[in-house]
Amino acid sequence: MSLADIQAAAGLRTPIRHQLFIDGRFVDAENGETLATLNPHDNSVIADVAMAGKADIDKAVAAATKAFPAWSRMAAADRGRILLKLADLIEENAEELARLETLDTGHPLKDSRALDVPRTAACFRYFGGMADKFQGDVVPVEAGFLNYVLREPVGVVGQVVPWNFPLMFTSWKMAPALAAGNTVVMKPAEITPLSSLKIAELMSEAGIPDGVVNIVPGLGQVAGHYIAEHPGIAKVAFTGSTATGRRIVQASAGNLKKVQLELGGKGANIVFDDANLTAAINGSAWAIFHNQGQACIAGSRLMLHERIADEFLERFATLARSIRLGNPMDATTEMGPLTSALHRDRVLSYVNVAREQGGEVIAGGKAPGAADLAQGCYVEPTIVMARDHKDRVAQEEVFGPFVTVLTFKDDAEALRIANGTDYGLGSGLWTSNLQRAHKVARELHAGMVWINSYKRVNPGSPFGGVGQSGYGREMGFDAMREYTQVKSVWVNVDAQIAPWYPR
């Protein structure tokens, strides 16, 4: 099928962008290289997307560097108005964006419509409103002096994001950076670049000047690595695996650029024996099966008090088996394919790992047998009872619709197991005991904790982890701080105070 035919079949009204976006224009890569982005429903080719090399990154950094003075000096309220206009345009193009995201990633269309697109618009709108409200400070120093603190943009920011939520990450990463006055070179994942390139088109329509935003799909080991080490980039923000995050840090050392990392997770989702079981079962399914489990904050370790474990598991497994797998473009589909065949095979390999270590597969553990799904990257919702909390499936991030079940006998054991990994991104707990809820939340080794809920996010609430889950925060005032640097200014306001060395 031609690109126009694919566009029409997906219900898209506008052309699918598949070139690099540099200095306000869509252009081919200097070396002419491309990579096919595939529809994970059937692994058919959607488009051949330009892959940025070093020369393209250099061009993008040069454009961002040239655009930085004017953008950073623009009145904050004017930057904010542009981001608010962008949020409006995202909502006006909501159906187009939702269909494009579903086509490229496998997100069920109902989720792209109800979650991905609205959250993207909300994040740009939040930081558009914050642009002229991010204040400095006056410090009470010794008499005769005024000391004030400015927060200034860091400069050209490099951003490298993964393939699991490409549309939403455009706002999480770019909105605070742009609101603070930085310019951006962003590398979306090479396998899911289409919605990011569509956002670039809308940014131009919103009035973002040429060069302020540059979007350069490319291979991680080429474009991503070069962004991390580029001397013209003042900060790199990365979302992805912990192993790649370590390489980002090493590559960034050349010019000591600021680094912000949002890395892997192995979220503990703890259900105590006094929990509302119906709410906990439904919430735990959302925690692990939304977006096919491809989320760093997924509740991938389901920890059950031994007194309720049997009843919970029976009901939870019944729910998991009832989840409707299918073509993500079908509005009735509840779970789509994983985003690539390579990742599907990796997730399924953990079923063998679990069995080799004495685990029991309670549900799923295989690709679905339906003929209409056979060419895609599908995995059934999978529940595995682990033998021990130190087993690989209880320690390593699987990143799929794969939940590892563990049991505990009391609060102390629950905390010991929950904190028994190197990760520290998100955790959740279900209980009707208010004192327990606050105590356990305080003791959990995690950057985020949800009580009687899971995976709630909001542009105003800081998002990030501790330990091997990275450092720095997305969203909220904390994100604006991440994209600024502090300047302290001293003013001698008392003429009677002489210089230290009068002549």
Side-chain angles (χ1 to χ4, degrees):
M1 293 176 69
S2 69
L3 189 56
D5 290 336
I6 293 168
Q7 173 190 320
L12 299 171
R13 297 177 292 104
T14 58
I16 296 173
R17 294 293 189 177
H18 54 93
Q19 295 170 291
L20 312 179
F21 183 76
I22 298 176
D23 203 14
R25 295 185 302 122
F26 286 98
V27 296
D28 292 330
E30 285 284 329
N31 59 14
E33 289 188 2
T34 63
L35 181 71
T37 184
L38 306 180
N39 179 348
H41 168 62
D42 58 9
N43 280 299
S44 61
V45 174
I46 302 170
D48 292 316
V49 178
M51 289 289 106
K54 288 187 175 183
D56 304 295
I57 302 301
D58 284 337
K59 286 170 57 179
V61 172
T65 301
K66 181 180 178 181
F68 175 71
W71 179 251
S72 62
R73 291 169 189 160
M74 181 186 288
D78 291 338
R79 288 199 303 269
R81 275 192 286 271
I82 292 174
L83 294 179
L84 293 173
K85 174 62 174 175
L86 175 60
D88 291 341
L89 288 170
I90 289 169
E91 290 176 341
E92 291 171 16
N93 291 270
E95 183 66 13
E96 192 85 350
L97 286 165
R99 287 182 170 276
L100 189 61
E101 186 78 339
T102 292
L103 179 69
D104 203 21
T105 66
H107 293 196
L109 184 58
K110 71 179 187 66
D111 288 346
S112 296
R113 285 170 170 165
L115 297 172
D116 298 47
V117 174
R119 285 176 173 178
T120 302
C123 194
F124 278 117
R125 182 166 286 117
Y126 176 86
F127 285 103
M130 186 188 284
D132 62 351
K133 300 173 184 66
F134 192 64
Q135 301 171 338
D137 299 289
V138 174
V139 182
V141 294
E142 56 262 37
F145 286 89
L146 168 67
N147 177 226
Y148 60 90
V149 176
L150 301 174
R151 282 199 167 267
E152 299 179 334
V154 299
V156 178
V157 173
Q159 299 178 329
V160 181
V161 296
W163 43 260
N164 55 329
F165 289 101
L167 176 63
M168 202 164 63
F169 277 130
T170 63
S171 62
W172 284 30
K173 284 286 190 289
M174 286 198 285
L178 295 172
N182 301 280
T183 54
V184 171
V185 176
M186 172 182 275
K187 190 199 86 66
E190 60 269 23
I191 64 172
T192 57
L194 301 183
S195 59
S196 300
L197 293 170
K198 180 64 179 178
I199 289 292
E201 181 181 286
L202 297 181
M203 284 180 157
S204 290
E205 187 176 344
I208 292 180
D210 293 351
V212 170
V213 171
N214 304 272
I215 297 184
V216 285
L219 300 176
Q221 62 268 34
V222 178
H225 183 84
Y226 193 47
I227 286 172
E229 69 180 10
H230 200 289
I233 290 177
K235 171 184 172 169
V236 61
F238 170 77
T239 296
S241 72
T242 298
T244 303
R246 294 191 187 100
R247 293 194 290 272
I248 292 283
V249 173
Q250 293 168 353
S252 72
N255 68 335
L256 297 178
K257 58 172 58 70
K258 291 183 68 172
V259 179
Q260 178 183 341
L261 301 173
E262 195 263 283
L263 306 177
K266 193 67 178 175
N269 182 33
I270 310 168
V271 184
F272 291 95
D273 59 343
D274 62 348
N276 178 322
L277 284 195
T278 298
I281 289 164
N282 290 330
S284 297
W286 165 260
I288 186 59
F289 298 133
H290 166 241
N291 196 35
Q292 298 72 254
Q294 298 170 134
C296 51
I297 56 173
S300 54
R301 286 184 298 154
L302 178 58
M303 297 173 49
L304 306 176
H305 191 282
E306 57 189 17
R307 278 200 290 268
I308 55 94
D310 289 344
E311 179 186 355
F312 188 104
L313 267 181
E314 181 180 353
R315 294 171 60 183
F316 185 68
T318 298
L319 189 159
R321 295 185 187 104
S322 74
I323 293 173
R324 188 181 299 112
L325 276 70
N327 187 334
M329 297 299 286
D330 183 338
T332 66
T333 291
E334 296 175 330
M335 180 182 287
L338 277 70
T339 302
S340 72
L342 181 67
H343 187 59
R344 174 203 59 201
D345 295 345
R346 179 183 180 275
V347 170
L348 288 173
S349 74
Y350 273 95
V351 176
N352 294 330
V353 170
R355 288 179 170 136
E356 288 167 2
Q357 294 193 304
E360 177 189 357
V361 178
I362 295 172
K366 62 185 186 303
D372 59 333
L373 307 183
Q375 300 303 312
C377 306
Y378 292 88
V379 173
E380 291 182 352
T382 298
I383 304 170
V384 170
M385 175 67 78
R387 179 188 54 83
D388 187 87
H389 75 277
K390 294 182 180 179
D391 289 352
R392 285 181 59 192
V393 291
Q395 293 290 320
E396 299 175 12
E397 186 176 39
V398 179
F399 214 68
F402 184 113
V403 62
T404 300
V405 181
L406 302 159
T407 61
F408 63 92
K409 64 179 182 299
D410 55 30
D411 293 17
E413 185 179 24
L415 279 167
R416 178 174 60 82
I417 295 172
N419 292 335
T421 74
D422 293 332
Y423 294 111
L425 191 58
S427 291
L429 63 108
W430 304 81
T431 180
S432 60
N433 184 318
L434 184 62
Q435 183 179 19
R436 167 189 279 156
H438 288 295
K439 181 178 185 298
V440 173
R442 185 180 66 244
E443 298 296 328
L444 282 168
H445 183 68
M448 297 166 286
V449 177
W450 296 277
I451 297 173
N452 293 329
S453 61
Y454 207 97
K455 283 178 67 173
R456 304 300 302 182
V457 296
N458 184 278
S461 180
F463 183 106
V466 297
Q468 296 301 300
S469 291
Y471 46 78
R473 292 295 181 268
E474 314 272 15
M475 300 194 289
F477 276 85
D478 293 271
M480 291 286 281
R481 295 186 185 100
E482 296 284 350
Y483 286 101
T484 58
Q485 53 198 1
V486 172
K487 177 183 285 183
S488 178
V489 180
W490 287 74
V491 182
N492 184 343
V493 297
D494 189 343
Q496 303 303 312
I497 299 178
W500 288 109
Y501 299 106
R503 294 290 187 266

